[in-house]
């Protein structure tokens, strides 16, 4: 096979070009990083490094391993490369690709390998929609988990830690259309789901994640079309009336929704809608932050610890810090 090299003599970053002259052994650290990709979704080398930095501080070695497992088939397991670099980032990154950290994700063979080893998450990262929406969600939940690794009193709980194996995350809810007074069913599928265990206090809290790149309307003329107003009604039923407890079998933990939008204007518009629909009382279970790193998106962001440690704004209520 003739290798496709760039002008500097390097393998092109988005091509798969095995050397076939060596085999690296899979380490426990590799498996931890691959499980993080399955748990959250696509991530960059700095994120993946943070999962194992205490035991393996050599960042240069990590980058070599990521590159290796993006090119080389695993002959021992009869698999192709475990990792790949999503093509969508080429269109999203407006700066020189060589000046940015690349985003990695699991291949089908990578997921199959974790499955064979008994390490495949029952509930993978589930955000739908465009790739950038998925990547933004992955950055949010991974940033929260990585921030908990520095806090011995808080433990991150994945969906696998929270839900029985036979539960679907998508939940159909019957909603009344306030304009027509008719009832219709709409399925609520959060962009993310995790929990936090506060060890010394012996309690835990459930978090649903909704990400918005300022593209979702506040209201729509057609109630069948998704809007922030309809999303509010869904969570009012799901969390406000505690439907999630019977649906998921979680009876010992309160739940809130973390809403991250790329635009401060969009955030304020959603909050204003909540104030209007609650007659000025506000909403306790919907929390807001913004992610300007994605507005516009020109390079992958660093780890955003503020999602765990910083204040979340609420409509008509005091700010809330989820790590306390």
């Amino acid at each position: 096979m003739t290798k496709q090299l760039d002008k500097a003599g390097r393998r092109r970053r988005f091509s798969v070009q095995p050397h076939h002259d060596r085999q690296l052994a899979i380490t426990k650290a590799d498996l931890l990083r691959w499980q993080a990709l399955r748990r959250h979704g696509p991530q960059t080398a700095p994120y993946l490094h943070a999962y194992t930095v205490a035991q393996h501080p050599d960042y240069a070695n990590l980058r070599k391993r990521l590159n290796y497992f993006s090119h080389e088939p695993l002959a021992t397991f009869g698999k192709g490369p475990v990792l790949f670099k999503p093509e969508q980032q080429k269109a999203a990154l407006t700066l020189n690709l060589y000046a940015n950290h690349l985003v990695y994700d699991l291949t089908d063979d990578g997921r199959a390998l974790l499955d064979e080893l008994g390490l495949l998450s029952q509930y993978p990262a589930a955000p739908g929609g465009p790739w950038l929406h998925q990547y933004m969600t992955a950055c949010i939940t991974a940033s929260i988990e990585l921030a908990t690794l520095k806090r011995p009193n808080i433990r991150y709980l994945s969906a696998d830690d929270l839900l029985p194996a036979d539960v679907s995350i998508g939940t159909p809810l019957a909603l009344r259309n306030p304009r027509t007074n008719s009832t219709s069913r709409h399925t609520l599928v959060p962009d993310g789901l995790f929990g936090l265990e506060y060890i010394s206090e012996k309690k835990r809290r459930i978090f649903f994640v909704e990400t918005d790149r300022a593209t979702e309307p506040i209201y729509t003329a057609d109630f069948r079309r998704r809007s922030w107003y309809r999303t509010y009604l869904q969570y009012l039923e799901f969390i406000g009336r505690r439907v999630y407890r019977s649906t998921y079998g979680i009876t010992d933990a309160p739940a809130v929704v973390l809403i991250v939008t790329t635009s401060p204007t969009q955030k304020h518009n959603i909050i204003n809608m909540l104030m209007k629909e609650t007659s000025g009382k506000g909403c306790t279970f919907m929390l807001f932050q913004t992610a300007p790193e994605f507005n516009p998106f020109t390079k992958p962001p660093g780890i955003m610890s503020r999602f765990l440690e910083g204040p979340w704004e609420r409509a008509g209520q005091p700010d809330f810090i989820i790590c306390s």
Side-chain angles (χ1 to χ4, degrees), residues 79-145:
K79 307 292 184 188
V82 173
L83 305 176
F84 76 105
K85 303 158 190 171
E87 290 276 342
Q88 296 92 330
Q89 63 188 301
K90 289 198 293 187
L93 301 176
T94 58
L95 300 178
N96 185 336
L97 280 171
Y98 285 102
N100 287 301
H101 295 292
L102 284 183
V103 181
Y104 294 85
D105 206 349
L106 285 175
T107 62
D108 289 341
D109 278 350
R111 289 188 289 272
L113 176 61
L114 289 179
D115 193 19
E116 289 180 12
L117 297 175
L119 300 174
L120 188 68
S121 170
Q122 172 74 22
Y123 295 100
W131 179 83
L132 190 51
H133 179 91
Q134 298 176 35
Y135 177 53
M136 179 175 165
T137 304
C139 288
I140 293 165
T141 57
S143 290
I144 292 172
E145 180 177 23

Side-chain angles (χ1 to χ4, degrees), residues 144-157 195-205 207 308-309 322-324:
I144 292 172
E145 180 177 23
L146 290 171
T148 66
L149 299 182
K150 299 179 180 179
R151 290 175 169 263
N153 198 42
I154 300 180
R155 185 167 77 94
Y156 183 92
L157 304 172
L196 292 178
E197 180 182 1
Y198 306 88
I199 297 171
S200 63
E201 300 175 34
K202 298 182 179 179
K203 69 178 185 179
R204 60 180 185 164
R205 186 178 286 116
F207 299 89
L308 177 73
E309 300 165 351
I322 68 173
C323 67
S324 60

